[in-house]
Amino acid sequence: MAIKICGLTTPETLDAALDAGADFVGAVVFPKSPRHIAPDRAAGLFERARGRAKIVAVTVDADDALLDEIARTLKPDFIQLHGAETPVRAEWARAVTGAGMIKALPIRRGDDFAAADEWDYHADHLMFDAKPPEGAVLPGGVGHRFDWTLLGDRVFRHPWFLAGGLDPDNVGEALRITGAPMVDVSSGVESAPGVKDAGRIAAFIQNARRT
């Protein structure tokens, strides 16, 4: 079981995630998000995580200049693609940044998994997240979940993340239903949008581990 705590913006909550045993920690580099953190600020903050957890830069259709800045300053282990990026774009980003690729795929119905067939060959990890409501500004991090039974007995080439609407109270149920090898949480461990709660982070990781 690998656990990612995403959208961290303060030393206190980053330390809470690290001390509780998070395997991945995420910096959201997307100005429309309440969890946005600029690459230079993220670089200073997340350096304390290097060697303790994998550092993930979460992006949404980032342009070449932003990807270059992220690579030079934050030096992430992975870049998470959370927009309308193509596999070709992912391979380009991997080549120029040297980072691994996580691709988030929005899910509402069973046929939404069709994109996974192609992405499974281009991403190190897939992430299945709830498809946001029509007209939503954010592609994720809105606290919505999809029907976990849709994952059924699906098999993928690499370990994959379950995301979307997870929190300390339901992560155990989610893992029992899906058998997910990895989980990702952001809004589910917050006291307000963009405000992480150290106690909820610890509880989420503890409850996921004991499942």
Side-chain angles (χ1 to χ4, degrees):
M1 167 55 56
I3 300 168
K4 175 170 170 276
I5 307 296
C6 197
L8 295 159
T9 58
T10 68
E12 295 77 16
T13 53
L14 176 55
D15 286 345
L18 295 170
D19 292 344
D23 304 284
F24 297 77
V25 288
V28 176
V29 186
F30 182 55
K32 292 182 180 180
S33 171
R35 304 162 189 95
H36 170 67
I37 184 170
D40 57 347
R41 182 167 166 251
L45 175 61
F46 279 78
E47 191 57 36
R48 69 206 300 123
R50 202 168 303 280
R52 299 181 63 187
K54 299 296 184 183
I55 299 169
V56 181
V58 180
T59 66
V60 181
D61 299 315
D63 60 21
D64 295 0
L66 180 55
L67 288 175
D68 179 68
E69 183 182 6
I70 289 170
R72 286 187 294 102
T73 58
L74 181 55
K75 300 180 176 66
D77 298 291
F78 291 90
I79 292 176
Q80 182 173 315
L81 307 174
H82 217 113
E85 302 90 355
T86 65
V88 170
R89 180 65 171 171
E91 294 295 352
W92 181 90
R94 184 196 301 276
V96 300
T97 66
M101 294 292 128
I102 298 171
K103 176 57 182 173
L105 297 174
I107 302 295
R108 184 176 297 145
R109 303 182 301 268
D111 55 8
D112 290 326
F113 285 94
D117 293 339
E118 181 177 16
W119 272 104
D120 214 7
Y121 289 87
H122 297 277
D124 297 274
H125 304 290
L126 298 176
M127 177 180 291
F128 300 110
D129 197 358
K131 183 176 288 188
E134 295 296 330
V137 173
L138 301 178
V142 295
H144 291 184
R145 56 184 274 187
F146 63 92
D147 179 1
W148 295 326
T149 63
L150 291 174
L151 279 158
D153 297 320
R154 298 178 191 272
V155 177
F156 305 98
R157 291 168 57 87
H158 306 290
W160 49 273
F161 286 96
L162 176 67
L166 297 177
D167 60 38
D169 297 322
N170 67 20
V171 65
E173 177 192 6
L175 289 169
R176 285 189 290 272
I177 291 172
T178 65
M182 311 169 86
V183 290
D184 172 270
V185 67
S186 185
S187 62
V189 291
E190 293 179 343
S191 57
V195 182
K196 290 293 184 290
D197 182 284
R200 289 183 66 78
I201 290 171
F204 181 89
I205 293 175
Q206 181 181 54
N207 292 347
R209 296 267 186 237
R210 67 163 54 130
T211 302

